[in-house]
Amino acid sequence: MTDRPTLAGGATLAITGSGGSGAVTAGLILLAAVGRAGYFGLLGRSAGPQIRGGESAAMLRFGLRPIECMGDRFDLLVGLDWENVARFADELPLDRDSLILTDAQAGPIPEILVRSGAQVRSLPWKALADAAAEGRVNMVALGMVGAMLGLPLDALEAGARTTLGGKGGRVLTPSLDCIRSGYSAADAVPVSPSALAPAVARWNISGNEAAGLGAVRGGVRFVAAYPITPASEVLEWLAPRLELLGGSLLQAEDELASINMIIGSSFGGVPSLTATSGPGLSLMVEGLGLAVASETPVVVVNVQRGGPSTGIPTKSEQSDLNIALYGLHGDAPHLVLAALGIRDCIDTVEWAVGLAERLQTVAIVLSDQMLGQSRAIIDPPGDRPFGAGERPRLLRPIAQDADPDHRRYRPAPDGVSPMALPGLPGGMYTAEGLEHGAGGTPSSRAIDHAEQLDKRLHKLTGFDYGPDWAEIRGEGDHLLLTWGSSAGPVFEAAERLRDSGTPTRAIALRLLAPLQRDALLEAIGSAGSILVVEQNQAAQCFAYLHSQRALPEHARSFARPGPLPLRPAEIMRALTDRDGREET
Amino acid sequence: MDVAGITPTLRAKDYKSDVAPVWCPGCGHFSVLSAVTKALAHLKLHKERVAMISGIGCSSRLPAYVDAYGFHGIHGRALPLASGLKAARPDLTVIVAGGDGDGFSIGGNHFLHACRRNMDLTYIVMDNEVYGMTKGQASPTTQPDWAKSKLTPHGTGMRPFLPTAIALAAGASFIARGFAGDPNGLTKLLVEAIEHPGFAFLQVLSPCQTFRPEQKEWKHLVHPVETAPTDDPVDAARFIQADDGMALGLFYVRRLPVWQPQNQPTATPADLEREFAL
Ligand SMILES: Cc1ncc(C[n+]2csc(CCOP(=O)(O)OP(=O)(O)O)c2C)c(N)n1
Ligand code: SF4
Ligand SMILES: [Mg+2]
């Protein structure tokens, strides 16, 4: 790359600045603008440890196909100023082909960025901003960068309107002026006309909003939760919208309360969910065991962050698989799912709600900060529900009549016994967390324990989950196997390997428990090299799959902790470099 | 409570389930169970419109003994379980029952927030100043010099938790004390508590026959509250601070806003999706 990025397949750029510089706002506008211009896009953001303000970076990748991960490097770094940017340097891989755009008046570029060999261009943003009434450097830079990227001015203006519209004309009008002034001052000739507008209107959505939408599509009408980063946006999205749907959100005193509240509301017949992150999930596990034992459907969306303990609240990691799988005491079978991308947060959460309801159990859905707090331009979700059947199959079996012989926990062929809802005459029972007999009366007899344990296990293992337990792409003797948000870089790595002559297939697990072992072994087939990819230190998924005898002996692990996102190139290297340090 | 559902024919015993209580003979909790069934009969509530919610402890076994819907949850979490149910199902009469350990120790935080949330719930705490179920350890209401537990051989050395004072400070809108040895008085208080629109807290002195046999003396120590219930929190605080812990009756009742979501649907999920379209 020379003076400007080539636009053929889009570009990857980062905008950085100190608190108040408006880097993230500029990123949000740019995402909306590339969407308007017919591109897909993905916007991640990174913030310093400050509660409010402080330095931040917006990272945008856009292109002609759905964008599922950030890629390996940045074409363009837009430096509004350089205060504290060194804190992000390791999140901003640049190279000799990268271009740094800045204004010389913003001060010297930090050495750590210069060392990358990236080219530098200084542009007169500050002068242009000073020339305008209430001028804003970020908006001038945005206009100029938009022009250099070949985006139509009206797409940028529309992006600004949707992003800043809520702030009123006093913010919007000068911003639009600055965007126009930057746009017309750009000397670069826009590359090729922009991508074709898609037939269906695409969506601009974050993973946390997507999880909230999946919940209400699945029928959730009650949520109780305690705020926690990076899950709070799920709750912020849901609170006013549940009211419109006739439901409600209750802000609980803690997560011990929130999980028990949703068990109560679900017992009352209303599909219920909570969203949290690692520390909150830790507090919930006793309650989850109660939901398993009492066979009360509940869904927990766990937006993972760096752990253990308070860990790294604002950064991503896939290190809560173990607690999701094994955190509950006793033999407590339940569902564990993982969203494979931002768009997949919609479908996977919706599916989890349906499964929890149908199977009267707990579903934990693992998302993470990377998915939850990033935004993407996506195609709207499809109409096909996940799983083997139609949506009605996923309704909770409810006892309809006053059946004198109604016994809440009576073993049934599929293990799921109809549940009477309070209000139904003749259906009265006491839901029980103590082990119980078929009628619900506490029992410590071996025969009752065995019967109820089997009931709760077999209703999950005997269910037909259909083809959506995993997403499988491509063919090849090499196999990349992953779960959750690592699917994005893994899919890209597999595709690039195929393109470069190394046939590679990718399997991303969406349903982790119960593990669809037979289907997985069949999908693995006779793959010659297998690499299990995940973003945690302990290779949690690799160990789990081995414990389930779902992996051939020669499978290897590539596991490393967050907070840096997994990048396609490192996955490709780990697969091909058999002698690498990743060898397990 | 729901006054629409009236069943004129049921008697107290019709509200008893056929599950036999696990309690020790002479346990105060038996009287509480009978008072609950009498109150339900008095109020002519449809059994299926009543939900009895509890945590863990001897006292928390009560729901299974009532012929109604019930949830025997986990230790200390009865109030959130009940709050979630009531939020989702305002049509039900939701009664929460438990012990002093369940409600004031492990569940203490929920007690504070249930008082201030003021949902239309009735909360009965069977206070025996001991953990009965785990065989006799000190609870938050145990006197500091009670040294009969191996865990606290010198007593707890801590002043006891004052449930009525805490309830008042946390914003409860109905505060009363009953006694298992006074079944009629207890039934009357229960009826009032269930009828009260808001969070009704009823402390019931309920002797533990097995680990606190000296509580047999309570019947000589209790006495009716002499003044009429107040709706003034300052007067109530004065009374509660001067109370010897043995006064029986309704101390404080006040109409306060009840927290209860009641939203009518005006949109579908498909309507909400439009906000995402570019
Ligand atoms: C999380 C947890 N911790 C400890 C226990 C053990 N436990 C069961 S009941 C109980 C105390 C019950 O005391 P109280 O609530 O006063 O009821 P009582 O038996 O006196 O009626 C304890 C500590 C438990 N079941 N769960
Ligand atoms: S141990 Fe005490 S509280 Fe428990 S049942 Fe026996 S007498 Fe009642
Ligand atoms: Mg007790």
Side-chain angles (χ1 to χ4, degrees):
Chain A
M1 191 168 74
T2 51
D3 236 7
R4 54 164 200 253
T6 47
L7 252 191
T12 309
L13 67 142
I15 307 174
T16 64
S18 55
S21 67
V24 171
T25 305
L28 288 167
I29 296 174
L30 205 50
L31 176 74
V34 300
R36 292 277 174 156
Y39 291 100
F40 289 96
L42 174 66
L43 179 80
R45 56 173 95 173
S46 194
Q50 295 83 353
I51 305 304
R52 208 183 173 124
E55 66 285 357
S56 52
M59 292 164 258
L60 174 71
R61 187 180 188 198
F62 67 97
L64 296 168
R65 296 192 321 167
I67 309 292
E68 297 177 302
C69 72
M70 258 314 154
D72 297 327
R73 54 180 288 281
F74 288 92
D75 296 315
L76 210 54
L77 173 63
V78 180
L80 299 176
D81 64 57
W82 301 114
E83 230 172 276
N84 292 325
V85 78
R87 289 201 188 150
F88 296 120
D90 55 0
E91 294 177 46
L92 302 171
L94 301 175
D95 56 32
R96 304 181 63 80
D97 291 329
S98 308
L99 174 62
I100 297 176
L101 297 180
T102 185
D103 184 335
Q105 294 204 39
I109 302 173
E111 177 55 29
I112 185 162
L113 296 174
V114 173
R115 251 184 275 139
S116 67
Q119 301 167 60
V120 177
R121 254 191 93 182
S122 175
L123 298 162
W125 297 332
K126 177 131 197 326
L128 285 167
D130 286 347
E134 294 185 62
R136 286 148 216 264
V137 166
N138 65 331
M139 292 296 128
V140 171
L142 171 65
M144 204 176 274
V145 171
M148 295 172 74
L149 293 170
L151 298 172
L153 180 59
D154 60 1
L156 288 163
E157 290 185 5
R161 278 195 192 91
T162 44
T163 309
L164 301 176
K167 302 201 174 181
R170 286 191 48 224
V171 174
L172 182 60
T173 310
S175 297
L176 287 171
D177 289 343
C178 288
I179 290 172
R180 287 182 204 118
S181 111
Y183 196 89
S184 49
D187 55 2
V189 191
V191 209
S192 63
S194 51
L196 294 175
V200 259
R202 292 203 180 117
W203 287 11
N204 181 340
I205 194 170
S206 76
N208 279 343
E209 292 168 347
L213 178 62
V216 299
R217 280 167 65 113
V220 167
R221 293 295 180 270
F222 182 76
V223 170
Y226 190 76
I228 187 167
T229 304
S232 294
E233 296 88 2
V234 179
L235 312 172
E236 286 164 3
W237 189 84
L238 280 166
R241 288 161 186 86
L242 281 168
E243 290 185 10
L244 297 174
L245 297 170
S248 60
L249 179 141
L250 196 171
Q251 183 180 322
E253 55 270 27
D254 55 33
E255 289 88 349
L256 304 164
S258 55
I259 186 66
N260 284 281
M261 284 171 173
I262 65 168
I263 294 170
S265 55
S266 177
F267 168 75
V270 177
S272 301
L273 169 144
T274 189
T276 189
S277 190
L281 181 63
S282 298
L283 287 184
M284 287 180 190
V285 291
E286 191 195 12
L288 292 175
L290 172 64
V292 167
S294 64
E295 303 196 53
T296 312
V298 290
V299 179
V300 180
V301 174
N302 180 49
V303 187
Q304 299 166 99
R305 63 194 221 181
S309 190
T310 313
I312 313 181
T314 55
K315 306 269 175 176
S316 213
E317 194 165 80
Q318 291 184 291
S319 47
D320 291 350
L321 179 61
N322 279 351
I323 184 178
L325 289 169
Y326 310 118
L328 284 64
H329 66 272
D331 291 316
H334 59 281
L335 304 165
V336 179
L337 299 95
L340 304 181
I342 290 178
R343 184 170 183 256
D344 202 59
C345 286
I346 306 171
D347 291 317
T348 298
V349 174
E350 181 180 353
W351 193 33
V353 176
L355 290 175
E357 289 285 316
R358 173 67 182 79
L359 299 169
Q360 297 179 6
T361 193
V362 167
I364 300 174
V365 182
L366 297 172
S367 170
D368 54 36
Q369 184 275 335
M370 178 71 88
L371 296 181
Q373 296 190 325
S374 298
R375 301 193 73 81
I377 307 295
I378 60 166
D379 278 328
D383 283 332
R384 183 185 74 85
F386 276 5
E390 300 302 309
R391 282 201 177 87
R393 255 197 77 195
L394 294 177
L395 293 181
R396 176 190 317 192
I398 303 275
Q400 296 297 350
D401 298 309
D403 169 6
D405 199 30
H406 174 77
R407 282 182 295 154
R408 170 68 183 97
Y409 300 111
R410 178 162 49 188
D414 64 356
V416 186
S417 24
M419 185 169 175
L421 301 186
L424 177 75
M428 272 96 73
Y429 73 101
T430 299
E432 226 356 304
L434 281 171
E435 190 56 286
H436 43 263
T441 305
S443 166
S444 51
R445 293 166 61 206
I447 183 171
D448 288 326
H449 189 40
E451 185 172 82
Q452 294 294 319
L453 282 173
D454 285 348
K455 174 185 194 291
R456 296 190 292 258
L457 177 65
H458 293 147
K459 68 178 180 180
L460 301 191
T461 52
F463 187 74
D464 176 6
Y465 295 90
D468 296 302
W469 59 276
E471 189 160 330
I472 304 175
R473 292 194 199 167
E475 288 301 332
D477 183 48
H478 300 272
L479 174 66
L480 291 172
L481 179 52
T482 191
W483 66 279
S485 69
S486 292
V490 160
F491 287 145
E492 179 167 327
E495 183 174 340
R496 280 161 55 181
L497 284 163
R498 286 195 294 276
D499 290 348
S500 64
T502 307
T504 306
R505 125 186 275 230
I507 301 177
L509 298 172
R510 183 182 283 117
L511 178 64
L512 288 142
L515 186 70
Q516 303 300 291
R517 179 173 171 270
D518 293 344
L520 176 58
L521 283 171
E522 194 185 318
I524 291 173
S526 57
S529 72
I530 304 170
L531 190 69
V532 181
V533 180
E534 58 195 308
Q535 194 192 20
N536 59 61
Q537 183 204 40
Q540 296 182 11
C541 185
F542 180 72
Y544 171 57
L545 295 177
H546 260 310
S547 75
Q548 302 283 307
R549 298 165 192 268
L551 278 183
E553 271 311 307
H554 63 280
R556 294 176 301 136
S557 161
F558 176 57
R560 72 149 174 80
L564 296 183
L566 287 180
R567 307 225 180 245
E570 62 181 318
I571 298 169
M572 294 165 70
R573 269 197 308 277
L575 182 78
T576 47
D577 176 12
R578 290 185 144 275
D579 304 322
R581 66 184 163 78
E582 292 82 28
E583 193 81 41
T584 304
Chain B
M1 60 158 286
D2 170 29
V3 277
I6 294 195
T7 324
T9 50
L10 294 183
R11 284 175 300 166
K13 70 172 175 44
D14 298 320
Y15 288 91
K16 284 219 166 100
S17 77
D18 48 17
V19 180
V22 293
W23 295 321
C24 313
C27 173
H29 303 344
F30 282 105
S31 310
V32 181
L33 171 61
S34 319
V36 167
T37 58
K38 281 185 200 148
L40 295 178
H42 178 87
L43 291 165
K44 300 183 168 37
L45 294 173
H46 277 289
K47 296 176 180 187
E48 69 274 8
R49 311 294 292 277
V50 174
M52 303 290 314
I53 310 296
S54 69
I56 295 292
C58 299
S59 36
S60 296
R61 290 295 188 111
L62 190 136
Y65 310 144
V66 178
D67 193 24
Y69 281 89
F71 207 131
H72 185 206
I74 49 177
H75 194 31
R77 316 296 163 214
L79 283 170
L81 195 60
S83 303
L85 175 60
K86 185 71 184 181
R89 291 290 304 274
D91 58 307
L92 303 174
T93 299
V94 181
I95 301 173
V96 194
D100 42 318
D102 190 74
F104 305 143
S105 191
I106 191 166
N109 190 36
H110 308 308
F111 179 53
L112 300 181
H113 295 281
C115 288
R116 60 182 273 264
R117 197 174 284 120
N118 198 37
M119 296 184 77
D120 188 8
L121 301 170
T122 301
Y123 184 33
I124 308 165
V125 176
M126 291 161 247
D127 190 352
N128 51 16
E129 300 177 4
V130 76
Y131 290 173
M133 176 130 276
T134 46
K135 304 206 186 309
Q137 298 82 14
S139 90
T141 50
T142 304
Q143 293 297 322
D145 55 353
W146 183 74
K148 295 265 166 62
S149 163
K150 287 181 187 155
L151 266 67
T152 49
H154 317 293
T156 64
M158 281 184 277
R159 277 168 299 154
F161 182 98
L162 297 177
T164 50
I166 307 271
L168 180 71
S173 56
F174 177 109
I175 300 171
R177 184 183 295 126
F179 175 44
D182 169 25
N184 293 337
L186 181 56
T187 305
K188 182 170 168 287
L189 286 174
L190 260 169
V191 168
E192 287 172 349
I194 295 169
E195 285 185 316
H196 172 71
F199 187 76
F201 171 57
L202 178 55
Q203 180 191 14
V204 181
L205 305 177
S206 182
C208 173
Q209 183 71 23
T210 303
F211 298 105
R212 301 298 306 265
E214 69 279 18
Q215 291 173 346
K216 277 199 215 76
E217 288 307 304
W218 279 358
K219 59 177 175 287
H220 305 302
L221 300 175
V222 294
H223 53 87
V225 54
E226 263 139 37
T227 48
T230 174
D231 65 355
D232 179 352
V234 178
D235 288 344
R238 202 172 287 122
F239 169 81
I240 286 170
Q241 291 298 338
D243 167 39
D244 63 356
M246 289 287 151
L248 305 182
L250 176 58
F251 303 165
Y252 171 76
V253 58
R254 188 183 169 102
R255 285 288 186 120
L256 291 172
V258 172
W259 194 90
Q260 177 64 58
Q262 300 248 38
N263 300 310
Q264 293 308 315
T266 57
T268 65
D271 298 331
L272 301 182
E273 289 175 2
R274 276 187 225 122
E275 73 182 82
F276 298 117
L278 280 170

